[in-house]
Amino acid sequence: ATQNEQGGWRYYPQRMDADISVTVCQMMALRAARNSGIFVPPESIDRAAGYVKKSQNPDGGFMYQLSQGGESAFPRSAAAVVGLNSAGIYDGPEMAKAMPYLMLSLPQPGLVRRETYYFYGHYYAALAFWQAGGESWGRWYPAVRDDLIARQRSDGTWIDPISPEFATSMACLILQMPNRYLPIFQR
């Protein structure tokens, strides 16, 4: 009921504007609901996927808000790919442009990037590459695993401006992904 006319959602339950981050979270929630047997109107998923697709920039990344335009950024672009995956879209022209864009942020040994939303971005990127599988997952996972291990503090935690609990939780989710403990990590 709060999905806006463009197909997205925003932080407040009102049919006004939308952004890629909240829209992707809603898409993942709707996918989980559908997977557990709850009816989800297909047109809601289709409209959400349309919103995400329209948010893609020519460079393959995604803008934050369709209504305002803007540049691409790694974290929201990784989230957008997962949103499309949640809608059942695993290939096509959007993915053909998005996956190379994400690969530009492949962690590299000795290269320290000042990244906004590091854990958010790498969680979604790991999900995106996990779903893609093959060579891209084979390149991404060892790189992010090694980067995370290098960032871990001596007390076992990770640090992020949001909170160490958030950072540690996200790092643990990423690191255990190949073990397929959670249903979201099953192909």
Side-chain angles (χ1 to χ4, degrees):
T2 60
Q3 187 177 26
N4 79 359
E5 61 280 343
Q6 294 177 316
W9 290 267
R10 190 79 165 130
Y11 290 96
Y12 298 101
Q14 301 170 358
R15 299 186 72 186
M16 295 174 64
D17 61 351
D19 71 69
I20 203 79
S21 181
V22 176
T23 298
V24 167
C25 287
Q26 295 291 359
M27 293 173 79
M28 292 178 72
L30 291 173
R31 175 68 181 256
R34 189 180 68 205
N35 286 354
S36 66
I38 298 170
F39 174 74
V40 176
E43 57 273 8
S44 293
I45 300 300
D46 293 343
R47 288 177 50 227
Y51 179 86
V52 173
K53 288 179 179 182
K54 287 183 277 185
S55 299
Q56 190 171 38
N57 285 319
D59 65 1
F62 293 78
M63 63 186 78
Y64 181 60
Q65 286 188 286
L66 184 58
S67 63
Q68 297 183 10
E71 75 244 11
S72 300
F74 164 71
R76 68 175 154 262
S77 298
V81 169
V82 173
L84 292 172
N85 288 170
S86 295
I89 300 167
Y90 300 99
D91 53 48
E94 294 82 15
M95 293 300 183
K97 289 174 22 182
M99 298 308 281
Y101 176 85
L102 294 182
M103 195 58 80
L104 295 173
S105 294
L106 179 74
Q108 297 178 23
L111 177 62
V112 178
R113 297 180 182 146
R114 295 287 172 217
E115 298 173 357
T116 306
Y117 305 112
Y118 173 89
F119 291 94
Y120 171 95
H122 283 290
Y123 167 74
Y124 278 118
L127 278 173
F129 284 109
W130 171 252
Q131 286 298 327
E135 183 183 323
S136 61
W137 170 251
R139 286 186 62 208
W140 189 268
Y141 183 74
V144 74
R145 177 200 60 213
D146 294 350
D147 196 51
L148 285 169
I149 291 169
R151 290 171 181 253
Q152 189 177 25
R153 297 177 56 188
S154 62
D155 66 357
T157 63
W158 284 264
I159 296 297
D160 185 80
I162 295 172
S163 75
E165 294 82 7
F166 169 77
T168 302
S169 298
M170 296 304 264
C172 288
L173 284 170
I174 295 165
L175 291 170
Q176 69 78 43
M177 204 169 287
N179 297 320
R180 303 179 194 181
Y181 292 136
L182 299 176
I184 194 171
F185 302 134
Q186 296 171 1
R187 289 193 179 117

